[in-house]
Amino acid sequence: MEIVSIEAGTYRAMMFHFEAFARKVEALCEPHVGKRLDEWLDNQDVCLILNISPRTLQNLRETGKLPYSQINRKMYYKPEDVEKVINNVGL
């Protein structure tokens, strides 16, 4: 085991910067605290709701008519965005 010693002033400065960093991370995460993945819809859910094919859904994504988020290879949609498509497109 290796022991490293640093001056008290250096340690306090390091802790100050670390705490500032932690506050910034918390501030960035705060708007997303209430969001859970189970509130989002996947491709299959949206196709069933809109009664459309996966290719039509892809077209809605590509044309920007339906916003989405992608995690790895899976697409997710907010229910309110799907509702907007229903109201605007008349599906």
Side-chain angles (χ1 to χ4, degrees):
M1 178 162 82
E2 184 179 346
I3 297 174
V4 177
S5 68
I6 58 174
E7 294 178 351
T10 303
Y11 175 77
R12 283 191 290 274
M14 187 174 66
M15 288 305 296
F16 173 79
H17 290 294
F18 178 76
E19 289 169 356
F21 174 75
R23 283 191 299 274
K24 288 179 183 179
V25 169
E26 287 177 5
L28 289 171
C29 293
E30 188 175 332
H32 306 287
V33 168
K35 296 182 179 177
R36 297 187 343 231
L37 191 56
D38 62 349
E39 296 172 356
W40 290 62
L41 304 168
D42 64 7
N43 286 338
Q44 183 178 3
D45 294 332
V46 176
C47 285
L48 290 172
I49 290 168
L50 298 178
N51 195 27
I52 58 175
S53 69
R55 179 63 185 117
T56 302
L57 179 58
Q58 181 180 349
N59 189 35
L60 289 172
R61 281 195 314 266
E62 290 173 351
T63 58
K65 293 179 182 175
L66 181 58
Y68 67 96
S69 293
Q70 183 174 353
I71 300 175
N72 293 327
R73 293 182 172 179
K74 192 160 182 175
M75 312 295 183
Y76 294 96
Y77 309 87
K78 292 180 184 178
E80 55 268 20
D81 291 334
V82 175
E83 189 174 334
K84 287 178 187 174
V85 169
I86 293 170
N87 294 333
N88 291 339
V89 179
L91 293 173

